[in-house]
Amino acid sequence: MPSPASQPRTPTPSRRRIHGLLGALAAAALVAVTLHLARRPPLLPVVAPARPESLDPQLRDHLQRLASLVADSPRDPARRATLALAFAANGLWPEARQAFLDVVRMAPDEPLARLHAAVALQEKPDDQAALAEFEALARDFPNFAPAWYRVGEAALRLGNLTNAESAFSRLSQLAPQEWRGPAGLGEVRLRAGKPGEALPFLERALAIDRSARPAHFLLGQALRAVGRTNEARIALALGAATTRHPMPDGWSERAPEHMKLLPDQLAQADELGRMGRPDLALQLLQGALKFHPDHPGLLNQLAVASNRAGRPQQGLALLDAVLAKDPKAVAPRITRSHALVLLGRAEDALAEARRAATDSPRTAQAHLAVANALLALERDAEAAQALRLALDADPANADIHVELASVLWRNLSDAPAAVEVLSKALQLNPALASAHLQLGLLQQHVGDIAAARATLASLEIVAPQSPELRELRQAIARP
Protein backbone atom coordinates (compact mmCIF):
# COMPACT_ATOMS: atom_id res chain seq x y z
CA MET A 1 0.00 0.00 0.00
CA PRO A 2 1.53 3.23 -0.98
CA SER A 3 2.39 5.73 1.68
CA PRO A 4 0.18 8.81 2.10
CA ALA A 5 2.94 11.00 0.68
CA SER A 6 2.97 9.13 -2.61
CA GLN A 7 -0.79 9.31 -3.20
CA PRO A 8 -2.07 12.04 -5.59
CA ARG A 9 -3.71 14.93 -3.79
CA THR A 10 -7.39 15.49 -4.37
CA PRO A 11 -8.18 19.24 -4.72
CA THR A 12 -10.31 20.67 -2.01
CA PRO A 13 -13.70 22.12 -2.96
CA SER A 14 -12.41 25.70 -2.49
CA ARG A 15 -9.42 25.08 -4.79
CA ARG A 16 -11.69 23.56 -7.41
CA ARG A 17 -13.85 26.67 -7.30
CA ILE A 18 -10.84 29.02 -7.65
CA HIS A 19 -9.44 27.08 -10.60
CA GLY A 20 -12.83 27.12 -12.24
CA LEU A 21 -13.18 30.85 -11.65
CA LEU A 22 -9.76 31.59 -13.15
CA GLY A 23 -10.62 29.52 -16.18
CA ALA A 24 -13.90 31.34 -16.63
CA LEU A 25 -12.19 34.73 -16.31
CA ALA A 26 -9.58 33.78 -18.89
CA ALA A 27 -12.28 32.61 -21.26
CA ALA A 28 -14.26 35.80 -20.69
CA ALA A 29 -11.17 37.93 -21.36
CA LEU A 30 -10.54 36.01 -24.56
CA VAL A 31 -14.12 36.54 -25.65
CA ALA A 32 -13.89 40.28 -24.80
CA VAL A 33 -10.73 40.69 -26.82
CA THR A 34 -12.26 38.79 -29.72
CA LEU A 35 -15.41 40.93 -29.62
CA HIS A 36 -13.34 44.13 -29.39
CA LEU A 37 -11.30 43.17 -32.41
CA ALA A 38 -14.42 42.14 -34.29
CA ARG A 39 -16.19 45.40 -33.51
CA ARG A 40 -13.16 47.66 -33.97
CA PRO A 41 -13.62 49.64 -37.17
CA PRO A 42 -11.24 48.87 -39.99
CA LEU A 43 -8.32 51.19 -40.62
CA LEU A 44 -9.21 54.08 -42.89
CA PRO A 45 -6.85 54.86 -45.75
CA VAL A 46 -4.81 58.04 -45.54
CA VAL A 47 -6.30 60.70 -47.81
CA ALA A 48 -3.88 61.81 -50.51
CA PRO A 49 -4.09 64.61 -53.09
CA ALA A 50 -5.42 63.55 -56.46
CA ARG A 51 -2.44 64.89 -58.43
CA PRO A 52 0.48 65.38 -56.05
CA GLU A 53 2.91 66.04 -58.89
CA SER A 54 1.00 69.22 -59.77
CA LEU A 55 1.28 70.73 -56.29
CA ASP A 56 3.63 73.44 -55.12
CA PRO A 57 6.75 71.56 -53.95
CA GLN A 58 6.63 73.02 -50.45
CA LEU A 59 2.97 72.11 -50.09
CA ARG A 60 3.64 68.60 -51.39
CA ASP A 61 6.43 68.13 -48.85
CA HIS A 62 4.23 69.44 -46.02
CA LEU A 63 1.35 67.11 -46.92
CA GLN A 64 3.67 64.12 -47.21
CA ARG A 65 5.06 64.74 -43.72
CA LEU A 66 1.57 65.04 -42.23
CA ALA A 67 0.43 61.91 -44.08
CA SER A 68 3.40 60.02 -42.66
CA LEU A 69 2.35 61.00 -39.15
CA VAL A 70 -1.14 59.68 -39.85
CA ALA A 71 0.30 56.43 -41.23
CA ASP A 72 2.39 56.03 -38.07
CA SER A 73 -0.72 56.31 -35.89
CA PRO A 74 -3.70 55.62 -38.16
CA ARG A 75 -6.28 55.53 -35.36
CA ASP A 76 -5.36 58.98 -34.02
CA PRO A 77 -8.13 61.41 -35.06
CA ALA A 78 -6.04 64.46 -34.09
CA ARG A 79 -3.40 63.65 -36.69
CA ARG A 80 -6.05 63.14 -39.35
CA ALA A 81 -7.64 66.46 -38.39
CA THR A 82 -4.29 68.23 -38.88
CA LEU A 83 -3.94 66.70 -42.34
CA ALA A 84 -7.50 67.75 -43.16
CA LEU A 85 -6.74 71.32 -42.04
CA ALA A 86 -3.69 71.39 -44.31
CA PHE A 87 -5.83 70.34 -47.28
CA ALA A 88 -8.38 73.05 -46.45
CA ALA A 89 -5.80 75.79 -45.84
CA ASN A 90 -4.46 75.26 -49.37
CA GLY A 91 -7.77 74.99 -51.19
CA LEU A 92 -7.77 71.21 -51.70
CA TRP A 93 -11.42 70.98 -50.77
CA PRO A 94 -12.36 67.47 -52.01
CA GLU A 95 -9.43 66.00 -50.07
CA ALA A 96 -10.27 68.16 -47.06
CA ARG A 97 -13.89 67.02 -47.12
CA GLN A 98 -12.94 63.34 -47.14
CA ALA A 99 -10.31 63.77 -44.43
CA PHE A 100 -12.72 65.62 -42.14
CA LEU A 101 -15.38 62.94 -42.71
CA ASP A 102 -12.81 60.33 -41.69
CA VAL A 103 -12.33 62.24 -38.43
CA VAL A 104 -16.12 62.27 -37.96
CA ARG A 105 -16.16 58.47 -38.26
CA MET A 106 -13.36 58.12 -35.72
CA ALA A 107 -14.56 60.84 -33.29
CA PRO A 108 -18.33 61.31 -33.78
CA ASP A 109 -18.57 63.49 -30.66
CA GLU A 110 -16.15 66.11 -32.03
CA PRO A 111 -18.35 68.89 -33.51
CA LEU A 112 -15.43 70.67 -35.16
CA ALA A 113 -14.92 67.72 -37.51
CA ARG A 114 -18.51 67.92 -38.73
CA LEU A 115 -18.31 71.71 -38.94
CA HIS A 116 -15.26 71.71 -41.19
CA ALA A 117 -16.56 68.83 -43.31
CA ALA A 118 -19.59 71.01 -44.06
CA VAL A 119 -17.35 74.01 -44.78
CA ALA A 120 -15.49 71.92 -47.34
CA LEU A 121 -18.83 71.00 -48.90
CA GLN A 122 -19.76 74.68 -49.04
CA GLU A 123 -16.53 75.40 -50.90
CA LYS A 124 -17.40 72.77 -53.52
CA PRO A 125 -19.67 74.83 -53.82
CA ASP A 126 -22.89 73.23 -52.60
CA ASP A 127 -24.52 75.84 -50.40
CA GLN A 128 -27.82 74.04 -49.92
CA ALA A 129 -26.25 70.76 -48.81
CA ALA A 130 -23.79 72.60 -46.57
CA LEU A 131 -26.62 74.49 -44.88
CA ALA A 132 -28.38 71.19 -44.19
CA GLU A 133 -25.24 69.82 -42.52
CA PHE A 134 -24.72 73.00 -40.48
CA GLU A 135 -28.34 72.85 -39.30
CA ALA A 136 -28.01 69.17 -38.35
CA LEU A 137 -24.84 69.96 -36.41
CA ALA A 138 -26.57 72.81 -34.56
CA ARG A 139 -29.43 70.49 -33.62
CA ASP A 140 -27.05 67.82 -32.32
CA PHE A 141 -24.81 70.33 -30.50
CA PRO A 142 -27.19 73.17 -29.57
CA ASN A 143 -24.60 74.98 -27.42
CA PHE A 144 -21.87 74.94 -30.07
CA ALA A 145 -21.70 78.61 -31.12
CA PRO A 146 -19.66 78.20 -34.36
CA ALA A 147 -22.37 75.94 -35.77
CA TRP A 148 -24.99 78.66 -35.33
CA TYR A 149 -22.70 81.21 -36.95
CA ARG A 150 -22.31 78.94 -39.97
CA VAL A 151 -26.05 78.35 -40.17
CA GLY A 152 -26.61 82.11 -40.19
CA GLU A 153 -24.00 82.84 -42.85
CA ALA A 154 -25.10 79.95 -45.06
CA ALA A 155 -28.74 81.00 -44.76
CA LEU A 156 -27.82 84.56 -45.72
CA ARG A 157 -26.02 83.28 -48.83
CA LEU A 158 -29.21 81.50 -49.86
CA GLY A 159 -31.46 84.45 -49.02
CA ASN A 160 -33.20 82.62 -46.17
CA LEU A 161 -33.58 85.55 -43.80
CA THR A 162 -35.84 83.74 -41.33
CA ASN A 163 -33.33 80.96 -40.65
CA ALA A 164 -30.48 83.47 -40.62
CA GLU A 165 -32.20 85.63 -38.01
CA SER A 166 -32.90 82.64 -35.79
CA ALA A 167 -29.29 81.44 -36.04
CA PHE A 168 -27.73 84.84 -35.31
CA SER A 169 -30.07 85.30 -32.34
CA ARG A 170 -28.89 81.98 -30.92
CA LEU A 171 -25.26 82.95 -31.60
CA SER A 172 -25.76 86.20 -29.69
CA GLN A 173 -27.09 84.25 -26.70
CA LEU A 174 -24.28 81.69 -26.71
CA ALA A 175 -21.42 84.13 -27.44
CA PRO A 176 -22.40 87.62 -26.23
CA GLN A 177 -18.86 88.93 -26.85
CA GLU A 178 -18.86 87.79 -30.49
CA TRP A 179 -19.63 90.76 -32.77
CA ARG A 180 -20.84 88.55 -35.62
CA GLY A 181 -24.07 87.80 -33.77
CA PRO A 182 -25.51 91.34 -33.67
CA ALA A 183 -23.84 92.18 -37.00
CA GLY A 184 -25.67 89.24 -38.59
CA LEU A 185 -28.95 90.42 -37.13
CA GLY A 186 -28.25 93.88 -38.52
CA GLU A 187 -27.52 92.46 -41.96
CA VAL A 188 -30.79 90.52 -41.88
CA ARG A 189 -32.69 93.75 -41.18
CA LEU A 190 -30.73 95.56 -43.89
CA ARG A 191 -31.52 92.91 -46.49
CA ALA A 192 -35.15 93.00 -45.44
CA GLY A 193 -35.25 96.72 -46.33
CA LYS A 194 -35.31 97.90 -42.70
CA PRO A 195 -32.09 99.95 -42.32
CA GLY A 196 -33.40 101.86 -39.31
CA GLU A 197 -33.91 98.61 -37.41
CA ALA A 198 -30.43 97.46 -38.48
CA LEU A 199 -28.64 100.40 -36.86
CA PRO A 200 -28.81 99.37 -33.16
CA PHE A 201 -27.60 95.84 -33.96
CA LEU A 202 -24.65 97.13 -35.97
CA GLU A 203 -23.77 99.70 -33.33
CA ARG A 204 -23.83 96.91 -30.73
CA ALA A 205 -21.48 94.83 -32.89
CA LEU A 206 -19.00 97.72 -33.05
CA ALA A 207 -19.29 98.30 -29.31
CA ILE A 208 -18.06 94.72 -28.93
CA ASP A 209 -15.23 95.09 -31.45
CA ARG A 210 -14.42 98.47 -32.95
CA SER A 211 -12.04 96.85 -35.47
CA ALA A 212 -14.78 94.72 -37.09
CA ARG A 213 -14.57 96.11 -40.61
CA PRO A 214 -17.56 94.20 -42.04
CA ALA A 215 -19.74 95.72 -39.31
CA HIS A 216 -18.49 99.20 -40.23
CA PHE A 217 -19.36 98.58 -43.87
CA LEU A 218 -22.85 97.33 -43.01
CA LEU A 219 -23.33 100.33 -40.70
CA GLY A 220 -22.33 102.64 -43.56
CA GLN A 221 -24.92 101.05 -45.82
CA ALA A 222 -27.60 101.44 -43.16
CA LEU A 223 -26.66 105.06 -42.42
CA ARG A 224 -26.70 105.92 -46.11
CA ALA A 225 -30.12 104.30 -46.50
CA VAL A 226 -31.60 106.45 -43.70
CA GLY A 227 -30.05 109.63 -45.11
CA ARG A 228 -27.18 110.13 -42.64
CA THR A 229 -24.69 110.51 -45.49
CA ASN A 230 -21.79 112.20 -43.67
CA GLU A 231 -21.66 109.47 -41.04
CA ALA A 232 -22.12 106.88 -43.78
CA ARG A 233 -19.00 108.09 -45.62
CA ILE A 234 -16.86 107.52 -42.55
CA ALA A 235 -18.36 104.12 -41.77
CA LEU A 236 -17.99 102.94 -45.36
CA ALA A 237 -14.39 104.10 -45.40
CA LEU A 238 -13.68 102.22 -42.17
CA GLY A 239 -15.13 99.10 -43.76
CA ALA A 240 -13.60 99.55 -47.22
CA ALA A 241 -11.96 96.59 -48.98
CA THR A 242 -13.60 94.29 -46.47
CA THR A 243 -13.08 90.54 -46.52
CA ARG A 244 -15.54 88.53 -44.45
CA HIS A 245 -13.54 86.31 -42.13
CA PRO A 246 -15.52 83.46 -40.56
CA MET A 247 -15.94 83.19 -36.83
CA PRO A 248 -12.73 81.55 -35.55
CA ASP A 249 -12.75 78.21 -33.83
CA GLY A 250 -10.19 75.92 -32.27
CA TRP A 251 -9.20 74.44 -35.61
CA SER A 252 -9.47 77.37 -38.01
CA GLU A 253 -7.04 79.37 -35.87
CA ARG A 254 -4.38 76.77 -36.70
CA ALA A 255 -4.95 76.96 -40.46
CA PRO A 256 -2.39 79.73 -41.26
CA GLU A 257 0.52 77.55 -40.14
CA HIS A 258 -0.44 75.07 -42.86
CA MET A 259 -0.66 77.61 -45.71
CA LYS A 260 2.20 76.56 -47.97
CA LEU A 261 1.26 78.02 -51.35
CA LEU A 262 3.83 80.64 -52.28
CA PRO A 263 1.39 83.53 -52.94
CA ASP A 264 -0.13 82.99 -49.50
CA GLN A 265 3.28 82.97 -47.86
CA LEU A 266 4.33 86.15 -49.65
CA ALA A 267 1.14 87.85 -48.44
CA GLN A 268 1.71 86.58 -44.89
CA ALA A 269 5.29 87.85 -44.91
CA ASP A 270 4.22 91.28 -46.14
CA GLU A 271 1.60 91.51 -43.41
CA LEU A 272 4.12 90.46 -40.76
CA GLY A 273 6.49 93.16 -42.00
CA ARG A 274 3.78 95.82 -41.83
CA MET A 275 2.95 94.69 -38.30
CA GLY A 276 6.54 95.28 -37.24
CA ARG A 277 7.69 91.65 -37.25
CA PRO A 278 10.14 91.43 -40.16
CA ASP A 279 12.05 88.77 -38.22
CA LEU A 280 9.09 86.42 -38.53
CA ALA A 281 8.68 87.39 -42.18
CA LEU A 282 12.30 86.45 -42.85
CA GLN A 283 11.87 83.11 -41.10
CA LEU A 284 8.77 82.32 -43.15
CA LEU A 285 10.35 83.31 -46.46
CA GLN A 286 13.61 81.49 -45.82
CA GLY A 287 11.60 78.31 -45.33
CA ALA A 288 9.98 78.86 -48.72
CA LEU A 289 13.34 79.63 -50.34
CA LYS A 290 14.42 75.99 -49.95
CA PHE A 291 11.68 75.00 -52.39
CA HIS A 292 11.77 78.08 -54.67
CA PRO A 293 15.44 79.14 -54.78
CA ASP A 294 15.10 81.11 -58.02
CA HIS A 295 11.64 82.66 -57.68
CA PRO A 296 12.06 86.41 -58.37
CA GLY A 297 9.04 87.47 -56.31
CA LEU A 298 10.26 85.51 -53.32
CA LEU A 299 13.78 86.90 -53.60
CA ASN A 300 12.43 90.43 -53.80
CA GLN A 301 10.17 89.87 -50.80
CA LEU A 302 13.12 88.53 -48.83
CA ALA A 303 15.01 91.72 -49.63
CA VAL A 304 12.01 93.82 -48.55
CA ALA A 305 11.92 91.95 -45.25
CA SER A 306 15.68 92.44 -44.87
CA ASN A 307 15.23 96.20 -45.36
CA ARG A 308 12.47 96.27 -42.73
CA ALA A 309 14.65 94.28 -40.35
CA GLY A 310 17.47 96.81 -40.72
CA ARG A 311 19.67 94.43 -42.71
CA PRO A 312 19.67 95.94 -46.20
CA GLN A 313 23.05 94.50 -47.13
CA GLN A 314 21.64 90.96 -46.92
CA GLY A 315 19.05 91.71 -49.56
CA LEU A 316 21.37 93.27 -52.13
CA ALA A 317 22.87 89.96 -53.28
CA LEU A 318 19.37 88.54 -53.78
CA LEU A 319 18.29 91.58 -55.79
CA ASP A 320 21.44 91.53 -57.89
CA ALA A 321 20.69 87.92 -58.86
CA VAL A 322 17.15 88.83 -59.93
CA LEU A 323 18.24 91.91 -61.90
CA ALA A 324 21.03 89.98 -63.62
CA LYS A 325 18.37 87.72 -65.13
CA ASP A 326 15.86 90.50 -65.82
CA PRO A 327 17.34 94.02 -65.92
CA LYS A 328 13.89 95.47 -66.69
CA ALA A 329 12.33 94.09 -63.50
CA VAL A 330 10.89 97.09 -61.67
CA ALA A 331 10.02 95.73 -58.21
CA PRO A 332 13.54 94.54 -57.29
CA ARG A 333 15.03 97.80 -58.55
CA ILE A 334 12.68 99.75 -56.27
CA THR A 335 13.60 97.51 -53.34
CA ARG A 336 17.27 97.94 -54.16
CA SER A 337 16.87 101.72 -54.13
CA HIS A 338 15.41 101.62 -50.63
CA ALA A 339 18.23 99.33 -49.47
CA LEU A 340 20.83 101.75 -50.80
CA VAL A 341 19.21 104.66 -48.96
CA LEU A 342 19.40 102.65 -45.74
CA LEU A 343 23.09 102.03 -46.45
CA GLY A 344 23.75 105.74 -46.89
CA ARG A 345 24.25 105.50 -50.67
CA ALA A 346 21.55 107.98 -51.65
CA GLU A 347 23.01 108.91 -55.06
CA ASP A 348 23.13 105.26 -56.10
CA ALA A 349 19.62 104.83 -54.73
CA LEU A 350 18.38 107.75 -56.82
CA ALA A 351 19.86 106.24 -59.97
CA GLU A 352 18.13 102.92 -59.29
CA ALA A 353 14.79 104.58 -58.57
CA ARG A 354 14.94 106.79 -61.65
CA ARG A 355 15.65 103.79 -63.84
CA ALA A 356 12.62 102.05 -62.35
CA ALA A 357 10.47 105.14 -62.98
CA THR A 358 11.73 105.36 -66.57
CA ASP A 359 11.01 101.69 -67.23
CA SER A 360 7.55 101.88 -65.60
CA PRO A 361 6.30 105.48 -65.42
CA ARG A 362 2.80 104.42 -64.31
CA THR A 363 4.11 102.60 -61.25
CA ALA A 364 3.56 104.86 -58.25
CA GLN A 365 6.06 102.96 -56.09
CA ALA A 366 8.85 103.82 -58.51
CA HIS A 367 8.19 107.55 -58.08
CA LEU A 368 7.94 107.07 -54.32
CA ALA A 369 11.40 105.50 -54.39
CA VAL A 370 12.68 108.54 -56.32
CA ALA A 371 11.16 110.82 -53.66
CA ASN A 372 12.70 108.72 -50.88
CA ALA A 373 16.18 109.05 -52.38
CA LEU A 374 15.76 112.79 -53.02
CA LEU A 375 14.68 113.37 -49.43
CA ALA A 376 17.80 111.54 -48.26
CA LEU A 377 19.79 113.97 -50.41
CA GLU A 378 17.80 116.91 -48.92
CA ARG A 379 16.49 117.86 -52.35
CA ASP A 380 13.02 118.49 -50.97
CA ALA A 381 11.42 120.45 -53.83
CA GLU A 382 12.37 117.69 -56.28
CA ALA A 383 11.03 115.11 -53.83
CA ALA A 384 7.67 116.90 -53.74
CA GLN A 385 7.57 116.80 -57.54
CA ALA A 386 8.31 113.06 -57.49
CA LEU A 387 5.44 112.58 -55.07
CA ARG A 388 3.13 114.48 -57.44
CA LEU A 389 4.18 112.07 -60.20
CA ALA A 390 3.32 109.20 -57.89
CA LEU A 391 -0.13 110.74 -57.42
CA ASP A 392 -0.54 111.04 -61.18
CA ALA A 393 0.08 107.29 -61.36
CA ASP A 394 -2.24 106.48 -58.43
CA PRO A 395 -4.56 109.47 -57.85
CA ALA A 396 -6.90 107.62 -55.46
CA ASN A 397 -4.10 106.75 -53.01
CA ALA A 398 -4.78 108.84 -49.91
CA ASP A 399 -1.53 107.73 -48.25
CA ILE A 400 0.53 109.39 -50.98
CA HIS A 401 -1.39 112.59 -50.39
CA VAL A 402 -0.37 112.45 -46.72
CA GLU A 403 3.29 111.94 -47.67
CA LEU A 404 3.19 114.89 -50.05
CA ALA A 405 1.48 117.10 -47.46
CA SER A 406 4.17 116.24 -44.90
CA VAL A 407 6.94 117.30 -47.30
CA LEU A 408 5.11 120.48 -48.28
CA TRP A 409 4.61 121.50 -44.66
CA ARG A 410 7.64 120.23 -42.76
CA ASN A 411 10.29 120.50 -45.47
CA LEU A 412 9.06 123.35 -47.70
CA SER A 413 7.01 125.40 -45.17
CA ASP A 414 4.05 125.58 -47.55
CA ALA A 415 1.22 125.13 -45.06
CA PRO A 416 -1.65 126.24 -47.37
CA ALA A 417 -0.64 123.71 -50.03
CA ALA A 418 -0.32 121.01 -47.37
CA VAL A 419 -3.84 121.75 -46.08
CA GLU A 420 -5.21 121.46 -49.61
CA VAL A 421 -3.54 118.11 -50.14
CA LEU A 422 -4.70 116.76 -46.77
CA SER A 423 -8.25 117.85 -47.52
CA LYS A 424 -8.08 115.83 -50.72
CA ALA A 425 -6.75 112.83 -48.77
CA LEU A 426 -9.72 112.99 -46.40
CA GLN A 427 -12.12 113.24 -49.30
CA LEU A 428 -10.65 110.02 -50.65
CA ASN A 429 -10.57 108.28 -47.27
CA PRO A 430 -12.36 110.08 -44.43
CA ALA A 431 -11.23 107.34 -42.02
CA LEU A 432 -7.48 107.74 -42.65
CA ALA A 433 -6.02 108.39 -39.20
CA SER A 434 -2.66 109.65 -40.48
CA ALA A 435 -4.39 112.36 -42.54
CA HIS A 436 -6.40 113.54 -39.52
CA LEU A 437 -3.22 113.61 -37.45
CA GLN A 438 -1.23 115.63 -39.98
CA LEU A 439 -4.10 118.07 -40.49
CA GLY A 440 -4.64 118.54 -36.75
CA LEU A 441 -0.93 119.08 -36.09
CA LEU A 442 -0.75 121.57 -38.95
CA GLN A 443 -3.80 123.46 -37.69
CA GLN A 444 -2.30 123.59 -34.21
CA HIS A 445 1.04 124.75 -35.67
CA VAL A 446 -0.54 127.73 -37.44
CA GLY A 447 -2.56 128.64 -34.33
CA ASP A 448 -6.01 127.53 -35.46
CA ILE A 449 -6.81 125.66 -32.24
CA ALA A 450 -10.56 125.51 -32.92
CA ALA A 451 -9.96 123.73 -36.21
CA ALA A 452 -7.43 121.42 -34.57
CA ARG A 453 -9.98 120.47 -31.91
CA ALA A 454 -12.57 119.76 -34.60
CA THR A 455 -10.07 117.48 -36.33
CA LEU A 456 -9.39 115.79 -32.99
CA ALA A 457 -13.12 115.16 -32.57
CA SER A 458 -13.24 113.55 -36.01
CA LEU A 459 -10.24 111.38 -35.17
CA GLU A 460 -11.94 110.24 -31.96
CA ILE A 461 -14.75 108.90 -34.13
CA VAL A 462 -12.69 107.16 -36.80
CA ALA A 463 -9.83 105.82 -34.66
CA PRO A 464 -10.66 106.00 -30.94
CA GLN A 465 -7.85 103.64 -29.86
CA SER A 466 -5.16 104.78 -32.28
CA PRO A 467 -1.67 106.15 -31.53
CA GLU A 468 -2.53 109.02 -33.91
CA LEU A 469 -5.32 110.10 -31.58
CA ARG A 470 -3.02 110.02 -28.55
CA GLU A 471 -0.37 112.06 -30.37
CA LEU A 472 -2.81 114.74 -31.53
CA ARG A 473 -4.47 114.96 -28.12
CA GLN A 474 -1.09 115.45 -26.44
CA ALA A 475 -0.04 118.06 -29.01
CA ILE A 476 -3.21 120.12 -28.53
CA ALA A 477 -2.93 119.87 -24.74
CA ARG A 478 0.57 121.38 -24.77
CA PRO A 479 0.60 125.16 -24.07
Side-chain angles (χ1 to χ4, degrees):
M1 180 175 181
S3 67
S6 63
Q7 292 180 356
R9 292 184 179 179
T10 302
T12 65
S14 61
R15 283 177 180 255
R16 285 198 297 270
R17 284 196 296 271
I18 291 172
H19 289 166
L21 180 60
L22 290 174
L25 289 174
L30 180 60
V31 170
V33 169
T34 303
L35 288 174
H36 172 72
L37 292 175
R39 293 173 181 172
R40 193 178 190 185
L43 286 177
L44 298 173
V46 181
V47 178
R51 296 178 57 227
E53 71 282 356
S54 67
L55 298 179
D56 179 292
Q58 187 175 9
L59 172 58
R60 184 169 61 246
D61 176 79
H62 185 63
L63 293 175
Q64 287 172 346
R65 286 189 288 105
L66 294 179
S68 295
L69 292 175
V70 174
D72 289 342
S73 187
R75 296 191 187 278
D76 184 349
R79 293 191 179 191
R80 289 185 183 265
T82 300
L83 177 60
L85 280 174
F87 284 132
N90 294 282
L92 297 172
W93 294 111
E95 293 88 344
R97 166 82 173 166
Q98 184 57 59
F100 282 124
L101 288 175
D102 288 347
V103 179
V104 172
R105 292 179 63 185
M106 299 176 68
D109 293 331
E110 173 52 79
L112 284 168
R114 288 176 60 182
L115 181 82
H116 285 274
V119 170
L121 182 60
Q122 191 175 41
E123 294 288 343
K124 190 176 180 179
D126 191 339
D127 290 332
Q128 194 68 57
L131 175 58
E133 292 196 10
F134 289 136
E135 289 175 331
L137 176 61
R139 285 194 301 272
D140 293 342
F141 295 88
N143 295 323
F144 183 48
W148 292 104
Y149 163 75
R150 294 287 184 173
V151 170
E153 282 290 306
L156 275 180
R157 286 171 68 160
L158 292 168
N160 189 334
L161 300 185
T162 301
N163 284 17
E165 181 174 12
S166 176
F168 286 124
S169 294
R170 181 63 176 155
L171 174 61
S172 296
Q173 294 169 0
L174 292 172
Q177 295 306 309
E178 171 55 61
W179 65 267
R180 291 170 181 83
L185 291 170
E187 185 169 2
V188 168
R189 301 301 194 285
L190 197 56
R191 292 196 185 195
K194 302 175 181 178
E197 294 182 16
L199 288 174
F201 290 108
L202 298 171
E203 289 166 350
R204 187 190 311 165
L206 289 169
I208 294 171
D209 186 352
R210 183 70 187 178
S211 67
R213 293 172 67 88
H216 279 292
F217 189 76
L218 290 168
L219 179 62
Q221 291 179 309
L223 288 168
R224 185 171 58 191
V226 299
R228 293 162 60 180
T229 54
N230 288 335
E231 295 169 85
R233 286 182 65 249
I234 294 173
L236 290 170
L238 287 168
T242 295
T243 300
R244 292 172 76 116
H245 294 290
M247 178 180 170
D249 58 63
W251 286 5
S252 65
E253 291 177 338
R254 293 161 44 201
E257 68 190 74
H258 297 292
M259 296 173 69
K260 300 301 179 182
L261 294 176
L262 187 56
D264 291 334
Q265 293 193 303
L266 293 178
Q268 283 182 313
D270 187 59
E271 182 64 20
L272 286 168
R274 294 179 188 279
M275 292 169 57
R277 294 306 308 268
D279 54 327
L280 295 180
L282 283 170
Q283 181 180 335
L284 178 68
L285 295 172
Q286 285 163 353
L289 189 64
K290 301 173 186 176
F291 298 91
H292 305 277
D294 300 316
H295 192 282
L298 174 57
L299 295 173
N300 180 66
Q301 194 70 25
L302 265 168
V304 170
S306 296
N307 284 348
R308 288 171 170 167
R311 301 179 228 163
Q313 189 65 48
Q314 291 184 8
L316 286 182
L318 302 173
L319 297 169
D320 290 344
V322 175
L323 290 168
K325 292 183 178 179
D326 184 6
K328 291 287 188 180
V330 173
R333 203 167 290 283
I334 292 171
T335 305
R336 195 172 195 280
S337 175
H338 286 291
L340 291 170
V341 167
L342 292 172
L343 291 168
R345 297 167 55 187
E347 288 287 359
D348 294 335
L350 180 59
E352 289 281 5
R354 280 183 166 159
R355 179 165 178 180
T358 299
D359 290 342
S360 186
R362 301 306 302 168
T363 298
Q365 292 297 325
H367 297 291
L368 291 174
V370 172
N372 184 56
L374 287 168
L375 287 171
L377 292 166
E378 299 186 2
R379 293 159 60 176
D380 299 332
E382 294 175 79
Q385 182 56 32
L387 288 168
R388 292 189 185 279
L389 291 173
L391 278 179
D392 288 342
D394 189 4
N397 192 321
D399 291 302
I400 301 177
H401 283 80
V402 175
E403 291 295 329
L404 175 58
S406 180
V407 173
L408 290 171
W409 171 33
R410 298 181 184 278
N411 297 52
L412 299 174
S413 301
D414 191 346
V419 169
E420 181 181 350
V421 173
L422 288 170
S423 298
K424 178 63 175 176
L426 289 171
Q427 290 174 22
L428 291 168
N429 184 358
L432 186 59
S434 60
H436 285 283
L437 172 62
Q438 288 285 346
L439 181 59
L441 292 175
L442 178 53
Q443 290 164 336
Q444 191 243 10
H445 175 75
V446 299
D448 193 346
I449 302 300
R453 292 188 183 280
T455 300
L456 177 65
S458 297
L459 188 52
E460 288 172 339
I461 294 172
V462 301
Q465 304 298 325
S466 66
E468 289 87 354
L469 176 62
R470 291 193 294 272
E471 183 178 346
L472 183 55
R473 185 179 287 143
Q474 291 168 1
I476 291 175
R478 285 195 294 266

